[in-house]
Amino acid sequence: MASESTVQVLIPTPLRRFTDGESRVEVSGATVGDALDALEARFPGIDERVRDDSGQIRRFVNLFVNGQNVRDRDGIATPLSPGDELGIIPAMAGGSAA
Amino acid sequence: MPWGVSYFLMKNSEYAMHDRAKATRTTPEQAICGPDAALLASIAESAVARSIGNTPLHRLRRYERYLGLPETIELHLKAEWVNPGGSIKDRTALSIVRAAIKSGQLGPGRTLLDATSGNTGIAYAMLGAALSFPVTLVVPGSASEERKRTLAAYGARVIYSDPYEGSDGAIRLVREMTSVAGDDFFYADQYNNPANPAAHVATTGPEIWRQSDGRVTHLVAALGTTGTLMGTGAYLRQQGAVQLIGVQPAEAFHGIEGLKHLPTAIVPGIYDPSLPDRIMGIETEAAFEAARALARVEGFFAGSSTGANLAAAGELARELASAGQAARLVVIGCDGGARYLSTGLWELG
Ligand SMILES: Cc1ncc(COP(=O)(O)O)c(C=O)c1O
């Protein structure tokens, strides 16, 4: 099993109501899925916006590891290294908190 | 692509460039001079400008049957994707550009500048090419690849705003740019420009009234800048007792291109909350589902905001059916499906 990595998660404005307004939070995890679990543990409600009931990334959500879409890698199983940036972006950016 | 890096590189170079011009921000009242007669004449001569509007209104008989609606409830779709720039925003952009040329705000030495999530930008870029004025657009970095390439094809200059800040981030960046370099730009400001709803008072509204034989009972229109609902709605209200339904994403975090979740967004200045009879919230998945069903059931290939409108119309139609009411719903078909081929909307499987 891969070891845990501390990564930065970049939060888009419409999800910042879950992170006390923070645009960047630090979590640990060996994979993207782990990081999302850790994010949910700290900020309940965020994961169901990103993943559906079956645990898949919602169609309209893109997750990026260091700018690369995880759909082009191993999805939520994509491994994380210390210092990686995990970005969450709705595929189309609409309105967001002013 | 590492967005953060390109965003900050862009920010620094742009700001250095414009720092010298400590001009005041362009306000709608600040005209450079009188209207540019040549530019005005070029609108009248432009084949592109002349092919904007007069779109068909299609009765969706197959989709009505697919929803199991009774004969007394009709759904009609306004096919805005046939506009030359591919969306309803061609009307908005033409109206804004025409008004700005007439008032002298857009003319020699001025670049049209606006924040746009895509369709209005495509329309401005198209008109800039057709009428020969420069266009600079601020687009969230998360806009689809199709949109970015379409803007480049028309020769517009594109500045990407922080994708994590969404369309409101684009608006804020434009405001910063105009505050340091106001005189170089005509800030089209589609969210606050009265020429936006005026486009629909003058064209979309009258077309719908005529095409529905004055028998439209409900208008269903998605809310972005809110120009479509405000303008078309205001016109239809003057003609008769038409119910005006606004459609927005159910959640702040959504994937319906061009739409705003009003409770959490910068509310557009052109929005009058007293006009709509009802605002319906639609989940992104439901909007995608309706757009997919439209393609399969009717053979019309439309985008996700059209899907949101159809999902709302379907919900409303069922309510009306169970109340035993007859209705003729007009649904706005904002843009076509091809603009979303790289996105989750048409993901296989
Ligand atoms: C695809 C799409 N649908 C709907 C809308 C909303 O239209 P309006 O800005 O008139 O409210 C837009 C506006 O940008 C759009 O691009």
Side-chain angles (χ1 to χ4, degrees):
Chain A
M1 210 195 122
S3 58
E4 298 249 307
S5 300
T6 299
V7 300
Q8 297 278 328
V9 187
L10 308 182
I11 310 291
T13 39
L15 290 181
R16 288 179 199 161
R17 69 190 162 102
F18 295 102
T19 60
D20 307 320
E22 291 299 318
S23 59
R24 223 169 227 280
V25 298
E26 213 170 70
V27 299
S28 293
T31 64
V32 168
D34 291 350
L36 291 176
D37 290 342
L39 198 62
E40 175 67 18
R42 250 177 87 190
F43 306 109
I46 207 165
D47 191 38
E48 70 179 89
R49 265 80 196 175
V50 175
R51 289 190 284 188
D52 64 20
D53 296 340
S54 66
Q56 293 303 303
I57 303 166
R58 291 187 184 277
R59 275 181 197 280
F60 69 89
V61 179
N62 285 326
L63 298 179
F64 297 90
V65 173
N66 301 332
Q68 200 188 5
N69 196 323
V70 303
R71 282 204 178 79
D72 302 329
R73 295 184 60 191
D74 298 321
I76 56 168
T78 303
L80 294 172
S81 306
D84 278 356
E85 275 188 351
L86 171 61
I88 304 173
I89 297 188
M92 295 290 178
S96 47
Chain B
M1 189 183 74
W3 272 317
V5 173
S6 65
Y7 170 65
F8 285 110
L9 280 179
M10 172 280 293
K11 231 183 148 172
N12 291 334
S13 60
E14 284 298 321
Y15 281 27
M17 225 173 74
H18 292 305
D19 232 15
R20 53 178 170 76
K22 284 270 183 281
T24 51
R25 183 178 160 198
T26 313
T27 64
E29 292 72 41
Q30 281 176 276
I32 4 172
C33 52
D36 181 332
L39 206 46
L40 261 186
S42 71
I43 293 188
E45 284 165 10
S46 166
V48 161
R50 279 158 55 174
S51 58
I52 293 173
N54 286 311
T55 58
L57 185 70
H58 301 295
R59 171 116 186 240
L60 301 180
R61 290 181 186 276
R62 293 171 61 89
Y63 196 79
E64 289 166 13
R65 281 199 292 274
Y66 163 78
L67 293 180
L69 298 177
E71 275 291 319
T72 49
I73 300 202
E74 299 177 12
L75 296 182
H76 296 254
L77 185 65
K78 187 77 170 142
E80 289 299 309
W81 57 83
V82 307
N83 281 300
S87 84
I88 192 163
K89 306 307 296 236
D90 284 8
R91 298 177 190 262
T92 317
L94 178 59
S95 172
I96 286 175
V97 164
R98 186 186 277 126
I101 294 171
K102 279 191 179 157
S103 68
Q105 291 169 272
L106 184 59
R110 281 268 173 89
T111 294
L112 183 150
L113 170 73
D114 211 350
T116 151
S117 61
N119 279 333
T120 314
I122 289 171
Y124 289 138
M126 175 184 77
L127 290 172
L131 308 176
S132 297
F133 60 83
V135 173
T136 295
L137 302 167
V138 178
V139 175
S142 50
S144 72
E145 206 54 39
E146 293 89 330
R147 272 162 209 266
K148 294 175 180 173
R149 290 188 189 186
T150 306
L151 294 172
Y154 287 120
R157 182 154 164 269
V158 183
I159 292 168
Y160 294 110
S161 58
D162 186 337
Y164 295 93
E165 303 291 332
S167 63
D168 285 351
I171 295 173
R172 282 188 292 263
L173 183 54
V174 164
R175 286 180 184 165
E176 283 175 50
M177 287 173 64
T178 55
S179 72
V180 294
D183 256 8
D184 300 345
F185 294 116
F186 158 59
Y187 174 22
D189 201 2
Q190 59 164 337
Y191 291 92
N192 298 295
N193 192 328
N196 171 354
H200 303 287
V201 173
T203 67
T204 321
E207 287 172 33
I208 289 174
W209 185 250
R210 187 166 22 85
Q211 291 169 315
S212 70
D213 301 320
R215 284 166 53 209
V216 50
T217 59
H218 298 75
L219 170 73
V220 182
L223 303 172
T225 66
T226 75
T228 305
L229 186 71
M230 290 296 115
T232 313
Y235 178 87
L236 293 178
R237 245 321 147 56
Q238 279 175 358
Q239 311 308 310
V242 181
Q243 294 275 307
L244 307 177
I245 318 298
V247 177
Q248 68 174 356
E251 275 272 338
F253 186 66
H254 70 92
I256 312 173
E257 167 64 26
L259 304 198
K260 269 183 176 273
H261 179 250
L262 290 176
T264 55
I266 298 177
V267 177
I270 59 173
Y271 183 59
D272 171 4
S274 71
L275 189 69
D277 294 282
R278 180 169 170 186
I279 304 288
M280 297 177 72
I282 298 295
E283 301 282 349
T284 300
E285 274 91 354
F288 283 15
E289 206 39 64
R292 289 165 159 244
L294 180 72
R296 287 173 192 189
V297 172
E298 287 280 356
F300 284 129
F301 192 46
S304 48
S305 64
T306 300
N309 284 344
L310 276 173
E315 217 176 294
L316 183 63
R318 289 197 169 110
E319 287 175 19
L320 292 165
S322 53
Q325 288 183 35
R328 182 172 286 188
L329 280 68
V330 170
V331 179
I332 303 293
C334 314
D335 69 358
R339 208 148 264 178
Y340 305 89
L341 286 173
S342 73
T343 74
L345 175 56
W346 304 115
E347 208 171 61
L348 300 175

